[in-house]
Amino acid sequence: MPKGVDQTESLKRLQRIAGQIHGLQRMVQEQRYCIDILQQITAARRALEQVGLQIMQRHVKGCVADAVRTTHGTDKIRELITTIERFVQ
Amino acid sequence: MPKGVDQTESLKRLQRIAGQIHGLQRMVQEQRYCIDILQQITAARRALEQVGLQIMQRHVKGCVADAVRTTHGTDKIRELITTIERFVQ
Amino acid sequence: MPKGVDQTESLKRLQRIAGQIHGLQRMVQEQRYCIDILQQITAARRALEQVGLQIMQRHVKGCVADAVRTTHGTDKIRELITTIERFVQ
Amino acid sequence: MPKGVDQTESLKRLQRIAGQIHGLQRMVQEQRYCIDILQQITAARRALEQVGLQIMQRHVKGCVADAVRTTHGTDKIRELITTIERFVQ
């Protein structure tokens, strides 16, 4: 993960997700309605997915593109697809 | 979310997820390798999914089952399916 | 899966999905642009998800509700959650 | 989608998925147990995901790598990430 705009943006998003998890802990402690808790869990998962996609874009633009330019990038591409596979499930 | 064993278990899991998010913040700050960050994101999403499924099971055993016993439970079942739909995506 | 409106609806949806898969086979044979193929795959997966959710709703309204009324329904609920877990991933 | 080994492999997989959909139609017609139908739906979705990942890998190795070598590939990478985003959900 290189320094810069994207790093700051990812950290902001993770800060917000930390807040969502904290909110979830409070909801469970206060025995709130299950469906409301489940919606908040879905929101946090979606937010994690978004930060993941942002980091993936950065990775393709940086590491994968560099590998493609200097070698065939075959290993980096295989590694990327394996990561997407785990991410998808 | 009723009090009891499940509540304690959910809180433990959320505590662990809060730790994973904290770890992610550190990984991004330290500019760790993107693929390692993405694997940690996948792990946190999977953990959120697990706590969600646990709460869903509790909800079906409690609220939905009660509604089925006293009325037809049609509304509670529709609400459950809508929640699963959002959860799945 | 009981007979009736839902069965007919599920069969219609599956017929449409069979058409989407057939379309995908043609797209691959004609060497169409990968991104277009991937979008069609996403559409077919989403359609399968929808027919799955419809069948799940039917199952909760029927089998699970019956089990809850006659016994505690514990086994049926556990089976449902396990199925949702696989479905989610 | 370029001609070759991958195309043949994708077509084989899609043929198998077409068979799974046909099997699902029969299961619904025969009013089989919902949970069994849902497991078959999950299997078909997983198989579609696999063929999608295979096509994605081919796309990154071909189109995206070419774009990265001749230009910065920025547009192709953005298009890829948008496609992954839809695919993930």
Side-chain angles (χ1 to χ4, degrees):
Chain A
M1 181 85 199
K3 232 176 188 145
V5 177
D6 280 338
Q7 191 198 20
T8 311
E9 175 64 20
S10 292
L11 286 171
K12 258 192 219 161
R13 283 168 186 259
L14 285 169
Q15 194 53 47
R16 230 174 296 143
I17 293 165
Q20 287 176 306
I21 305 300
H22 191 71
L24 273 164
Q25 291 176 297
R26 217 176 33 234
M27 286 175 94
V28 170
Q29 262 158 352
E30 295 172 357
Q31 298 158 41
R32 294 272 291 278
Y33 185 46
C34 295
I35 294 291
D36 293 338
I37 301 178
L38 286 168
Q39 274 171 3
Q40 181 70 1
I41 288 177
T42 294
R45 287 177 70 222
R46 206 65 55 91
L48 270 172
E49 191 182 290
Q50 286 304 313
V51 76
L53 288 165
Q54 197 209 8
I55 289 168
M56 201 181 286
Q57 177 153 354
R58 186 79 213 131
H59 178 64
V60 178
K61 273 189 195 163
C63 287
V64 179
D66 285 350
V68 164
R69 276 186 210 104
T70 51
T71 64
H72 285 294
T74 316
D75 288 353
K76 285 283 170 222
I77 291 170
R78 191 174 303 126
E79 186 189 54
L80 173 71
I81 299 294
T82 307
T83 304
I84 293 171
E85 187 170 358
R86 288 208 203 95
F87 193 77
V88 167
Q89 283 168 355
Chain B
M1 181 83 200
K3 230 174 190 148
V5 176
D6 281 338
Q7 191 198 20
T8 311
E9 175 64 20
S10 292
L11 286 172
K12 257 191 220 162
R13 285 169 185 259
L14 286 169
Q15 193 54 43
R16 230 174 295 143
I17 293 166
Q20 286 176 305
I21 305 299
H22 191 71
L24 274 165
Q25 291 176 298
R26 217 177 34 233
M27 286 176 95
V28 171
Q29 262 158 353
E30 295 172 356
Q31 298 157 44
R32 294 273 291 279
Y33 186 45
C34 294
I35 294 291
D36 294 338
I37 300 178
L38 286 167
Q39 273 170 5
Q40 181 70 1
I41 289 178
T42 295
R45 287 177 71 223
R46 207 63 58 89
L48 270 171
E49 194 182 287
Q50 286 304 314
V51 74
L53 287 165
Q54 196 209 9
I55 289 169
M56 200 180 288
Q57 177 153 355
R58 186 79 212 131
H59 178 64
V60 177
K61 273 189 197 163
C63 286
V64 179
D66 286 350
V68 164
R69 276 186 211 105
T70 51
T71 63
H72 284 295
T74 317
D75 288 353
K76 284 286 169 218
I77 291 170
R78 191 177 301 127
E79 187 189 55
L80 173 71
I81 299 294
T82 308
T83 304
I84 294 171
E85 186 171 359
R86 289 207 202 96
F87 194 78
V88 167
Q89 283 168 358
Chain C
M1 181 84 199
K3 230 175 190 147
V5 177
D6 280 338
Q7 190 198 21
T8 311
E9 175 63 20
S10 292
L11 286 172
K12 259 191 217 162
R13 284 168 185 259
L14 285 170
Q15 192 53 45
R16 231 174 294 142
I17 294 166
Q20 286 176 306
I21 304 300
H22 190 72
L24 272 164
Q25 292 176 298
R26 217 174 36 232
M27 286 176 94
V28 170
Q29 263 158 352
E30 295 173 355
Q31 297 157 43
R32 293 273 291 279
Y33 186 45
C34 295
I35 295 291
D36 294 338
I37 300 178
L38 286 167
Q39 273 171 6
Q40 181 71 1
I41 288 177
T42 295
R45 286 176 72 222
R46 206 64 56 89
L48 270 172
E49 192 183 289
Q50 285 304 313
V51 75
L53 288 165
Q54 196 209 9
I55 289 168
M56 201 181 288
Q57 177 153 354
R58 187 79 212 132
H59 178 65
V60 178
K61 273 188 196 164
C63 287
V64 180
D66 286 351
V68 164
R69 276 186 210 104
T70 50
T71 64
H72 284 294
T74 316
D75 288 353
K76 285 283 170 220
I77 291 171
R78 190 176 303 126
E79 185 189 56
L80 173 70
I81 298 295
T82 307
T83 304
I84 293 171
E85 187 171 358
R86 289 208 202 96
F87 193 78
V88 167
Q89 283 169 356
Chain D
M1 181 82 199
K3 231 175 188 146
V5 177
D6 280 339
Q7 191 198 20
T8 310
E9 174 63 19
S10 292
L11 285 172
K12 257 191 221 162
R13 284 168 186 260
L14 285 169
Q15 193 53 44
R16 230 173 297 142
I17 293 166
Q20 286 176 307
I21 305 299
H22 190 72
L24 273 165
Q25 292 176 298
R26 215 176 34 233
M27 286 175 94
V28 171
Q29 263 159 351
E30 294 172 357
Q31 297 158 44
R32 294 272 291 278
Y33 185 46
C34 294
I35 294 291
D36 294 338
I37 301 178
L38 286 167
Q39 273 171 3
Q40 181 71 0
I41 288 177
T42 295
R45 288 177 69 222
R46 207 62 57 90
L48 271 171
E49 193 183 287
Q50 286 303 314
V51 75
L53 287 165
Q54 195 209 10
I55 289 169
M56 201 181 286
Q57 177 154 353
R58 186 81 211 130
H59 179 64
V60 178
K61 273 188 196 163
C63 286
V64 179
D66 286 350
V68 164
R69 277 185 210 105
T70 51
T71 64
H72 283 296
T74 317
D75 288 353
K76 285 285 170 219
I77 291 170
R78 192 175 302 126
E79 186 188 54
L80 174 70
I81 298 295
T82 308
T83 303
I84 294 170
E85 187 171 359
R86 289 207 202 94
F87 194 78
V88 167
Q89 281 168 357

